[in-house]
Amino acid sequence: MTKNIVVLGSLNADNIMKMPRMPLVGETMALTDVTTAPGGKGANQAVAAARQGANVSFIGAVGNDSNGQFMRATLLTNGVNVDAVATNGDVPTGSAYIMLQESGANTILIHGGANQALTIADIDESVIANADTLIAQFEVPLDVIMAAFKIAKAHHVQTILNPAPAVYQLTPELMQVTDIIVPNETEAQLLSGITVKNDDAVLNRVSNAILAKGVSRCIITLGDAGSFVADGNKRWWAKPNKVKAIDTTGAGDTFIGTLARVIESDFSNLDEAVKQASIASAIAVTRAGAIPSIPTRDEVAAF
């Protein structure tokens, strides 16, 4: 059965600036290349889920500008339904400025634009009610996420929260309507108050601190070290496939979109879902860009 996934999230025009390394304070450095590409965590996750074979609908907003048209066209081209994407004539489409180093590491600055102007009134309840899974990130207002997740739980829809960037607190109210939370290393550290290390004892403490806020499952993504999964009292590592990373942009979003497509409604295959998500993410880092790097279901199966 094809899974119905709704993504509530951000749509950004990505401005990718390639450089040898991050400049020092006060230093002037020449860029090696500058390109524009479709992005935003929401868009990336939606495309990832669609390329893995899910029926995907998007709830979000763009400005009444060329970047907004660009983002709508990108989603449609990738098979994502945009009927619930609003157009806001008062603010521009969201944008991101990605500083990509030769090592493949990236640093990102974001201007929220229409993403941060999204309101509860922009939520189409029927779209969520008919979904199997709802995904959200922290690039849209918290009250909108809360309202959407409450609608999801009222209709027995699975919820996945990507607390990125870690700009909001994990309140008990939010955690009670979240089924799985997926932070990366930096986000897990900010949300737990514990310095993250790739050590079982430390990651147990970090996971415990996050689960103590009221969520049942936590997956901490740790780049080339893999991911650390906490499901109730169970803890385990999902080790990654070793690849040569070219560009890590969008790797975490690929993981989440794939996870959402593969995971069963009762979470019974969480281990296998994490493995598949890890493979998809591993493929993504071997390619340049965010959306262009996201693999298809067949590519993941063949890896």
Side-chain angles (χ1 to χ4, degrees):
M1 184 181 73
T2 303
K3 197 168 186 182
N4 295 316
I5 294 174
V6 173
V7 178
L8 165 67
S10 55
L11 298 166
N12 290 331
D14 286 351
N15 302 282
I16 304 163
M17 301 173 287
K18 295 183 178 180
M19 59 192 69
R21 56 171 174 78
M22 287 295 291
L24 303 174
V25 175
E27 179 183 13
T28 299
M29 177 183 290
L31 299 173
T32 57
D33 192 24
V34 179
T35 56
T36 300
K41 290 184 178 298
N44 297 342
Q45 291 168 17
V47 171
R51 289 187 184 170
Q52 291 305 308
N55 289 327
V56 184
S57 296
F58 202 95
I59 298 175
V62 293
N64 187 20
D65 50 31
S66 59
N67 280 339
Q69 296 170 7
F70 174 49
M71 291 309 303
R72 281 181 181 274
T74 296
L75 292 180
L76 286 169
T77 300
N78 284 279
V80 178
N81 185 295
V82 298
D83 289 349
V85 175
T87 298
N88 188 327
D90 297 326
V91 291
T93 299
S95 55
Y97 301 86
I98 301 170
M99 291 160 278
L100 178 61
Q101 303 173 62
E102 287 180 356
S103 65
N106 65 70
T107 302
I108 303 173
L109 297 171
I110 292 175
H111 178 250
N115 299 314
Q116 280 300 314
L118 195 68
T119 69
I120 294 173
D122 293 318
I123 297 173
D124 187 329
E125 182 170 347
S126 64
V127 172
I128 297 174
N130 291 316
D132 296 303
T133 302
L134 171 64
I135 307 171
Q137 326 81 41
F138 278 174
E139 289 185 341
V140 296
L142 182 60
D143 63 338
V144 179
I145 297 170
M146 278 296 315
F149 272 35
K150 286 180 178 179
I151 292 169
K153 299 322 294 180
H155 293 279
H156 310 290
V157 175
Q158 186 182 69
T159 54
I160 298 176
L161 178 65
N162 176 213
V167 293
Y168 305 131
Q169 293 298 313
L170 301 183
T171 62
E173 184 183 19
L174 177 59
M175 292 297 89
Q176 285 167 8
V177 289
T178 300
D179 290 316
I180 308 175
I181 186 168
V182 190
N184 67 14
E185 177 180 356
T186 303
E187 292 145 9
Q189 183 165 308
L190 290 170
L191 296 169
S192 68
I194 300 170
T195 301
V196 173
K197 297 179 182 178
N198 294 339
D199 172 85
D200 285 14
V202 172
L203 290 169
N204 267 298
R205 287 175 54 220
V206 174
S207 297
N208 289 343
I210 293 174
L211 295 190
K213 298 180 185 294
V215 67
S216 299
R217 299 163 197 87
C218 174
I219 304 171
I220 303 172
T221 56
L222 297 159
D224 60 8
S227 54
F228 189 80
V229 186
D231 181 6
N233 293 324
K234 300 175 184 176
R235 303 284 188 277
W236 69 91
W237 277 95
K239 294 298 184 179
N241 299 82
K242 295 298 181 182
V243 295
K244 179 176 174 56
I246 292 175
D247 182 358
T248 60
T249 308
D253 298 327
T254 298
F255 182 100
I256 290 167
T258 304
L259 178 78
R261 206 284 301 167
V262 177
I263 192 73
E264 297 287 353
S265 59
D266 61 358
F267 311 99
S268 58
N269 69 333
L270 182 57
D271 188 21
E272 178 60 28
V274 171
K275 288 178 183 177
Q276 296 249 7
S278 298
I279 291 171
S281 184
I283 295 172
V285 302
T286 66
R287 304 167 176 174
I291 286 177
S293 74
I294 299 170
T296 64
R297 186 174 183 175
D298 288 344
E299 287 176 314
V300 171
F303 185 76

